[in-house]
Short mmCIF file of all heavy atoms in Angstrom, two decimals:
data_model
loop_
_atom_site.label_atom_id
_atom_site.label_comp_id
_atom_site.label_asym_id
_atom_site.label_seq_id
_atom_site.Cartn_x
_atom_site.Cartn_y
_atom_site.Cartn_z
N MET E 137 244.33 148.84 145.95
CA MET E 137 243.09 149.57 145.66
C MET E 137 243.09 150.90 146.40
O MET E 137 243.93 151.13 147.25
CB MET E 137 241.88 148.72 146.02
CG MET E 137 241.82 148.28 147.45
SD MET E 137 240.57 147.03 147.66
CE MET E 137 241.50 145.83 148.57
N ASP E 138 242.16 151.74 146.06
CA ASP E 138 242.00 153.04 146.72
C ASP E 138 241.51 152.77 148.15
O ASP E 138 240.45 152.18 148.34
CB ASP E 138 240.99 153.88 145.94
CG ASP E 138 240.77 155.26 146.53
OD1 ASP E 138 241.32 155.58 147.60
OD2 ASP E 138 240.02 156.02 145.89
N ALA E 139 242.29 153.20 149.14
CA ALA E 139 241.92 152.96 150.54
C ALA E 139 240.60 153.64 150.90
O ALA E 139 239.88 153.16 151.76
CB ALA E 139 243.04 153.43 151.46
N ALA E 140 240.27 154.74 150.23
CA ALA E 140 239.04 155.47 150.52
C ALA E 140 237.81 154.81 149.87
O ALA E 140 236.68 155.10 150.24
CB ALA E 140 239.15 156.91 150.04
N ASN E 141 238.05 153.93 148.90
CA ASN E 141 236.95 153.28 148.19
C ASN E 141 237.34 151.84 147.86
O ASN E 141 237.49 151.48 146.70
CB ASN E 141 236.64 154.07 146.91
CG ASN E 141 235.38 153.60 146.24
OD1 ASN E 141 234.52 152.99 146.85
ND2 ASN E 141 235.28 153.88 144.95
N PRO E 142 237.53 150.99 148.88
CA PRO E 142 237.98 149.62 148.61
C PRO E 142 236.95 148.80 147.85
O PRO E 142 235.75 149.09 147.89
CB PRO E 142 238.23 149.05 150.00
CG PRO E 142 237.42 149.88 150.92
CD PRO E 142 237.31 151.25 150.29
N THR E 143 237.43 147.80 147.15
CA THR E 143 236.58 146.92 146.35
C THR E 143 236.97 145.47 146.61
O THR E 143 238.02 145.21 147.19
CB THR E 143 236.70 147.26 144.85
OG1 THR E 143 235.74 146.54 144.12
CG2 THR E 143 238.08 146.96 144.32
N ALA E 144 236.17 144.54 146.16
CA ALA E 144 236.51 143.13 146.29
C ALA E 144 237.55 142.76 145.24
O ALA E 144 237.45 143.18 144.09
CB ALA E 144 235.26 142.28 146.11
N LEU E 145 238.54 141.99 145.66
CA LEU E 145 239.55 141.50 144.74
C LEU E 145 239.14 140.11 144.26
O LEU E 145 238.53 139.34 145.00
CB LEU E 145 240.91 141.43 145.43
CG LEU E 145 241.50 142.78 145.83
CD1 LEU E 145 242.72 142.59 146.73
CD2 LEU E 145 241.88 143.58 144.60
N PRO E 146 239.50 139.75 143.03
CA PRO E 146 239.10 138.44 142.51
C PRO E 146 239.91 137.32 143.17
O PRO E 146 241.10 137.50 143.45
CB PRO E 146 239.43 138.55 141.02
CG PRO E 146 240.56 139.52 140.96
CD PRO E 146 240.27 140.52 142.05
N PRO E 147 239.30 136.17 143.42
CA PRO E 147 240.08 135.05 143.95
C PRO E 147 241.05 134.55 142.87
O PRO E 147 240.71 134.54 141.69
CB PRO E 147 239.02 134.00 144.28
CG PRO E 147 237.83 134.37 143.48
CD PRO E 147 237.89 135.85 143.25
N LEU E 148 242.24 134.16 143.28
CA LEU E 148 243.23 133.70 142.33
C LEU E 148 243.29 132.18 142.24
O LEU E 148 243.79 131.63 141.27
CB LEU E 148 244.61 134.25 142.70
CG LEU E 148 244.70 135.78 142.73
CD1 LEU E 148 246.10 136.22 143.12
CD2 LEU E 148 244.29 136.40 141.41
N SER E 149 242.80 131.51 143.26
CA SER E 149 242.69 130.05 143.27
C SER E 149 241.72 129.68 144.38
O SER E 149 241.44 130.49 145.27
CB SER E 149 244.05 129.40 143.50
OG SER E 149 244.42 129.47 144.86
N PRO E 150 241.22 128.43 144.37
CA PRO E 150 240.31 128.03 145.43
C PRO E 150 241.00 127.82 146.79
O PRO E 150 240.35 127.75 147.81
CB PRO E 150 239.70 126.72 144.93
CG PRO E 150 240.52 126.29 143.78
CD PRO E 150 241.33 127.44 143.32
N ASN E 151 242.31 127.73 146.79
CA ASN E 151 243.07 127.45 148.01
C ASN E 151 243.85 128.66 148.49
O ASN E 151 245.07 128.61 148.64
CB ASN E 151 244.02 126.28 147.79
CG ASN E 151 243.30 125.03 147.39
OD1 ASN E 151 242.23 124.75 147.92
ND2 ASN E 151 243.85 124.28 146.46
N GLY E 152 243.20 129.76 148.71
CA GLY E 152 243.88 130.95 149.19
C GLY E 152 242.90 132.05 149.51
O GLY E 152 241.69 131.90 149.35
N LEU E 153 243.45 133.17 149.98
CA LEU E 153 242.61 134.32 150.30
C LEU E 153 243.46 135.58 150.31
O LEU E 153 244.68 135.53 150.38
CB LEU E 153 241.94 134.13 151.67
CG LEU E 153 242.87 133.88 152.86
CD1 LEU E 153 243.11 135.16 153.63
CD2 LEU E 153 242.25 132.85 153.78
N TRP E 154 242.78 136.71 150.20
CA TRP E 154 243.44 138.01 150.27
C TRP E 154 243.55 138.40 151.74
O TRP E 154 242.57 138.35 152.48
CB TRP E 154 242.64 139.07 149.52
CG TRP E 154 242.71 138.90 148.04
CD1 TRP E 154 241.71 138.42 147.23
CD2 TRP E 154 243.80 139.20 147.19
NE1 TRP E 154 242.13 138.42 145.93
CE2 TRP E 154 243.42 138.89 145.86
CE3 TRP E 154 245.09 139.70 147.40
CZ2 TRP E 154 244.27 139.06 144.77
CZ3 TRP E 154 245.93 139.87 146.31
CH2 TRP E 154 245.52 139.56 145.02
N SER E 155 244.75 138.79 152.17
CA SER E 155 245.00 139.24 153.54
C SER E 155 245.50 140.67 153.52
O SER E 155 246.24 141.07 152.61
CB SER E 155 246.05 138.36 154.21
OG SER E 155 245.62 137.03 154.28
N ASP E 156 245.12 141.43 154.54
CA ASP E 156 245.56 142.82 154.65
C ASP E 156 247.07 142.87 154.80
O ASP E 156 247.66 142.15 155.59
CB ASP E 156 244.89 143.47 155.85
CG ASP E 156 245.24 144.95 155.98
OD1 ASP E 156 245.32 145.62 154.93
OD2 ASP E 156 245.43 145.40 157.10
N PHE E 157 247.71 143.74 154.00
CA PHE E 157 249.16 143.90 154.06
C PHE E 157 249.54 145.31 154.51
O PHE E 157 250.68 145.58 154.78
CB PHE E 157 249.77 143.59 152.70
CG PHE E 157 251.27 143.45 152.71
CD1 PHE E 157 251.87 142.36 153.33
CD2 PHE E 157 252.08 144.38 152.09
CE1 PHE E 157 253.24 142.23 153.35
CE2 PHE E 157 253.45 144.26 152.10
CZ PHE E 157 254.04 143.17 152.73
N GLY E 158 248.57 146.22 154.55
CA GLY E 158 248.84 147.58 154.99
C GLY E 158 248.39 148.61 153.98
O GLY E 158 247.49 148.37 153.17
N SER E 159 249.01 149.77 154.04
CA SER E 159 248.67 150.86 153.11
C SER E 159 249.93 151.66 152.81
O SER E 159 250.92 151.57 153.52
CB SER E 159 247.59 151.76 153.71
OG SER E 159 248.09 152.41 154.86
N VAL E 160 249.86 152.42 151.74
CA VAL E 160 251.00 153.25 151.33
C VAL E 160 250.46 154.47 150.59
O VAL E 160 249.46 154.39 149.86
CB VAL E 160 251.99 152.44 150.46
CG1 VAL E 160 251.38 152.06 149.13
CG2 VAL E 160 253.30 153.19 150.27
N ASN E 161 251.11 155.60 150.78
CA ASN E 161 250.76 156.81 150.06
C ASN E 161 251.30 156.72 148.64
O ASN E 161 252.37 156.15 148.41
CB ASN E 161 251.34 158.04 150.78
CG ASN E 161 250.86 159.32 150.15
OD1 ASN E 161 251.38 159.75 149.13
ND2 ASN E 161 249.86 159.93 150.76
N GLU E 162 250.60 157.31 147.70
CA GLU E 162 251.01 157.24 146.30
C GLU E 162 252.43 157.75 146.07
O GLU E 162 253.13 157.27 145.18
CB GLU E 162 250.04 157.99 145.40
CG GLU E 162 250.02 159.48 145.58
CD GLU E 162 249.03 160.16 144.65
OE1 GLU E 162 249.32 160.28 143.44
OE2 GLU E 162 247.95 160.54 145.13
N SER E 163 252.90 158.68 146.88
CA SER E 163 254.25 159.22 146.69
C SER E 163 255.33 158.19 147.01
O SER E 163 256.48 158.34 146.61
CB SER E 163 254.46 160.47 147.55
OG SER E 163 254.36 160.15 148.92
N HIS E 164 254.96 157.11 147.72
CA HIS E 164 255.91 156.06 148.06
C HIS E 164 255.71 154.79 147.24
O HIS E 164 256.37 153.79 147.48
CB HIS E 164 255.80 155.70 149.55
CG HIS E 164 256.22 156.80 150.45
ND1 HIS E 164 257.53 157.15 150.65
CD2 HIS E 164 255.49 157.64 151.21
CE1 HIS E 164 257.59 158.16 151.48
NE2 HIS E 164 256.36 158.48 151.84
N PHE E 165 254.78 154.83 146.28
CA PHE E 165 254.46 153.64 145.49
C PHE E 165 254.97 153.83 144.07
O PHE E 165 254.48 154.68 143.33
CB PHE E 165 252.96 153.39 145.51
CG PHE E 165 252.51 152.14 144.81
CD1 PHE E 165 253.23 150.98 144.89
CD2 PHE E 165 251.34 152.14 144.09
CE1 PHE E 165 252.81 149.82 144.25
CE2 PHE E 165 250.89 151.00 143.45
CZ PHE E 165 251.63 149.85 143.53
N LYS E 166 255.94 153.04 143.68
CA LYS E 166 256.60 153.15 142.38
C LYS E 166 255.62 153.06 141.21
O LYS E 166 255.82 153.68 140.17
CB LYS E 166 257.66 152.05 142.27
CG LYS E 166 258.41 152.02 140.99
CD LYS E 166 259.46 150.91 141.01
CE LYS E 166 260.23 150.87 139.71
NZ LYS E 166 261.31 149.86 139.76
N PHE E 167 254.56 152.30 141.36
CA PHE E 167 253.61 152.06 140.27
C PHE E 167 252.30 152.82 140.45
O PHE E 167 251.25 152.38 139.98
CB PHE E 167 253.34 150.56 140.15
CG PHE E 167 254.59 149.75 139.95
CD1 PHE E 167 255.15 149.05 141.00
CD2 PHE E 167 255.22 149.71 138.72
CE1 PHE E 167 256.31 148.32 140.84
CE2 PHE E 167 256.39 148.98 138.55
CZ PHE E 167 256.94 148.28 139.61
N SER E 168 252.34 153.97 141.11
CA SER E 168 251.10 154.69 141.42
C SER E 168 250.34 155.13 140.17
O SER E 168 249.11 155.04 140.14
CB SER E 168 251.36 155.88 142.34
OG SER E 168 252.18 156.83 141.72
#
């Protein structure tokens, strides 16, 4: 998501959660 305007991500199953993995600039993200 946009780091400047984060949003809630949908749950994918009842047995899990979203955890922070970091950030990346669009110039380093293949699928920007």
Side-chain angles (χ1 to χ4, degrees):
M137 58 192 131
D138 181 355
N141 189 22
T143 188
L145 294 170
L148 301 180
S149 78
N151 300 321
L153 57 98
W154 288 106
S155 299
D156 184 38
F157 192 70
S159 65
V160 67
N161 187 280
E162 68 180 284
S163 64
H164 294 286
F165 184 39
K166 179 179 180 176
F167 303 102
S168 64

